Amino acid sequence: MGTFKTSAVPVLEHISKKDFIQHYYKPQKPVLIKGLTKNWPAFKKWSLDYIQDKAGDQIVPLYNNEPAKDKQSVYAPVKEMKLKDYIEILKTEPTDLRIFFYEILKKMPELTKDFTYPDIGLKFFKKLPALFFGGGASKVFMHYDIDLPDSMHFHFDGHKHVTLFSPEQTKYLYRVPYSIHNLESIDMDNPDFEKYPALKRAEGITAEMAHGDALFMPSGYWHYIKYLDGGFSMTLRALPRHPKRFANMLYNVLIMRNFDNFTRKYWGQKWLDYKDELAIKRTHKNLNNI
């Protein structure tokens, strides 16, 4: 057992559009910007109490830390609950229950009055702002986003720990074929370097996020997220602009995902086990070549 080699993400209070593009967007490097939201109404208003007050009786799907097995869909929630009742749990006790991709425009469009899209050089896709909720025991498995966006991730009311790995680190991370995640048997908090020796070579970037912080996550970056207490985040996404990465995004969304879903539907756990074995085989082959 051990810990990953990591360095801290650069932390800035403010940055100009020119400097962001030159030093972070173009070279595709993450950065945490603390002052980006301070002029938003959301900076003063957004809290678990604020969302709870607007929740009404809407029902939300909830997920936990357990990976999907056999023919179970990764998008199948473990339970459903009234949003206001779920937020009450977040406020009062640690939980691994979390909300994945709560679409603001569909569920609570009045929240769009509380923020603006930052003029920082990213062409944000304005039809899909999304919230993510989690409690003190919630973890988001290690993955990268299937549509490969350049993302700005904002956190509110609470604290979270984010570990990032660049796409260049993929060869060490035991990526599961036809998927966007690594082996779910890997404990990202205490990796087993004897069982998974390639992990020793992986170098991550860590960020500690508090209320109002904005984290730039470049296209294709892996991220592992732990909620340290109850809170929620918003992600604004920009489609990848590099032609090769845009083509990869189309492949992921239109071909890879559908092939994986189709095969899993018929093979179930056998397909998952096959992919896991292939992930180990390929990673160790790459490690031997290195």
Side-chain angles (χ1 to χ4, degrees):
M1 302 295 180
T3 56
F4 287 104
K5 291 181 288 185
T6 60
S7 59
V9 69
V11 179
L12 305 174
E13 185 64 30
H14 300 285
I15 189 171
S16 68
K17 178 179 179 179
K18 178 182 177 181
D19 284 345
F20 174 77
I21 293 173
Q22 179 180 349
H23 297 296
Y24 298 102
Y25 176 56
K26 283 188 175 179
Q28 292 285 276
K29 294 182 178 180
V31 62
L32 184 73
I33 309 169
K34 300 191 81 64
L36 199 58
T37 66
K38 289 187 176 178
N39 291 326
W40 290 0
F43 185 78
K44 293 182 178 180
K45 294 165 62 176
W46 281 17
S47 66
L48 291 174
D49 287 336
Y50 182 74
I51 301 297
Q52 188 178 40
D53 184 60
K54 294 181 173 296
D57 291 326
Q58 63 175 280
I59 305 297
V60 293
L62 300 174
Y63 301 83
N64 61 15
N65 295 340
E66 296 298 319
K69 299 296 184 183
D70 199 27
K71 297 182 180 181
Q72 180 186 4
S73 170
V74 295
Y75 304 107
V78 295
K79 64 170 62 178
E80 294 184 337
M81 186 183 298
K82 289 182 179 180
L83 177 57
K84 62 182 181 181
D85 293 336
Y86 168 65
I87 292 178
E88 192 61 31
I89 294 175
L90 294 184
K91 290 162 55 178
T92 56
E93 62 185 84
T95 179
D96 70 343
L97 294 175
R98 55 188 177 84
I99 296 177
F100 168 78
F101 219 90
Y102 177 94
E103 294 186 45
I104 295 174
L105 294 181
K106 291 182 179 179
K107 302 292 188 179
M108 210 175 282
E110 62 267 33
L111 294 183
T112 59
K113 299 176 183 178
D114 295 337
F115 69 89
T116 56
Y117 290 86
D119 182 19
I120 201 166
L122 297 177
K123 292 187 176 181
F124 291 108
F125 185 59
K126 297 182 179 180
K127 294 184 179 180
L128 208 62
L131 296 181
F132 301 81
F133 294 77
S138 300
K139 299 179 181 180
V140 182
F141 63 86
M142 173 85 147
H143 71 289
Y144 59 91
D145 294 335
I146 194 168
D147 51 344
L148 302 176
D150 287 296
S151 298
M152 196 67 75
H153 190 68
F154 306 86
H155 192 62
F156 298 94
D157 199 357
H159 304 81
K160 69 197 305 184
H161 180 88
V162 181
T163 304
L164 303 171
F165 293 91
S166 73
E168 288 73 25
Q169 300 293 309
T170 300
K171 57 184 175 290
Y172 305 127
L173 297 176
Y174 294 86
R175 176 186 176 272
V176 176
Y178 309 108
S179 305
I180 57 169
H181 60 83
N182 70 346
L183 290 171
E184 292 168 334
S185 57
I186 293 174
D187 182 352
M188 293 299 297
D189 295 320
N190 193 19
D192 187 338
F193 290 146
E194 290 189 9
K195 189 173 183 180
Y196 307 110
L199 295 176
K200 263 189 169 182
R201 293 177 174 263
E203 298 183 13
I205 303 167
T206 59
E208 302 287 340
M209 299 191 70
H211 179 82
D213 289 352
L215 176 63
F216 172 57
M217 297 194 295
S219 175
Y221 262 67
W222 293 81
H223 39 285
Y224 168 64
I225 297 173
K226 290 193 302 180
Y227 288 83
L228 304 180
D229 44 31
F232 62 101
S233 301
M234 178 177 70
T235 296
L236 302 180
R237 309 153 81 83
L239 294 176
R241 299 180 67 182
H242 190 281
K244 183 178 180 181
R245 198 166 289 279
F246 189 84
N248 287 339
M249 180 271 289
L250 293 177
Y251 166 78
N252 289 347
V253 173
L254 300 177
I255 298 175
M256 184 186 76
R257 177 170 59 181
N258 291 322
F259 172 77
D260 186 55
N261 289 341
F262 175 83
T263 309
R264 181 172 185 165
K265 181 179 178 181
Y266 287 94
W267 279 17
Q269 192 63 40
K270 289 182 178 179
W271 175 240
L272 300 182
D273 293 342
Y274 167 76
K275 292 196 298 177
D276 285 355
E277 292 171 4
L278 195 56
I280 294 173
K281 182 178 179 181
R282 287 180 175 179
T283 303
H284 288 169
K285 182 179 179 180
N286 288 338
L287 186 62
N288 289 333
N289 291 337
I290 294 171

